[in-house]
Amino acid sequence: VSKAVSSLVDEGYDVFGLYPNLSNIDEVKDAFEEVKNKYGKIDILVNNAGVSSATPFEKYTEEEYERVVDINIKAVCNCSKVAVDYLKENGGVILNTSYMVSIYGQPSGVMYPASKYAVNGITKSLARELGKYNLRVNQHCKGMIG
């Protein structure tokens, strides 16, 4: 990822990259503070990190299960929780990404659709809870195209 940031900076774009462990709320807090210090405010959070696998259910390991949950669910909760305090200042948006397999399932790799189903619920619940603060919470549910 740092190679991508370097390339954009070389092309003249005002970007910088942070690489916190999204399942660690203290690292997430530090990253948000750094963004706020650099740009003065935070308007939007896009929860787009995700991991998947095609591991058959009976072959899932506990480590693989935890990896999917940490990135696909816990990271969404951590980043959203930290973002709310910044976004409440001026209104803002939390945009979560999900996937159509969260609705239809897939033939292998059960934890990915299960985790994205959780993101669907998080999105709907946060939208209801945070609307009173002038915060929008929406979701983009991607799918395969031919």
Side-chain angles (χ1 to χ4, degrees), residues 16-91:
F16 78 110
L18 299 171
Y19 317 101
N21 173 351
L22 299 176
S23 66
N24 180 311
I25 196 149
D26 291 327
E27 288 191 36
V28 171
K29 287 177 182 176
D30 291 344
F32 270 81
E33 191 60 27
E34 196 167 336
V35 170
K36 169 91 187 274
N37 289 339
K38 181 165 177 62
Y39 294 107
K41 66 179 183 168
I42 295 174
D43 299 306
I44 185 169
L45 166 66
V46 178
N47 282 311
N48 191 48
V51 293
S52 182
S53 76
T55 303
F57 179 65
E58 66 274 5
K59 294 187 179 186
Y60 257 98
T61 64
E62 187 172 355
E63 292 79 20
E64 189 172 11
Y65 164 79
E66 289 174 353
R67 179 175 169 257
V68 173
V69 169
D70 280 353
I71 297 300
N72 295 6
I73 301 172
K74 189 175 181 182
V76 170
C77 292
N78 284 347
C79 291
S80 298
K81 180 179 174 94
V82 173
V84 167
D85 287 335
Y86 293 94
L87 296 173
K88 280 168 57 174
E89 293 176 14
N90 303 303

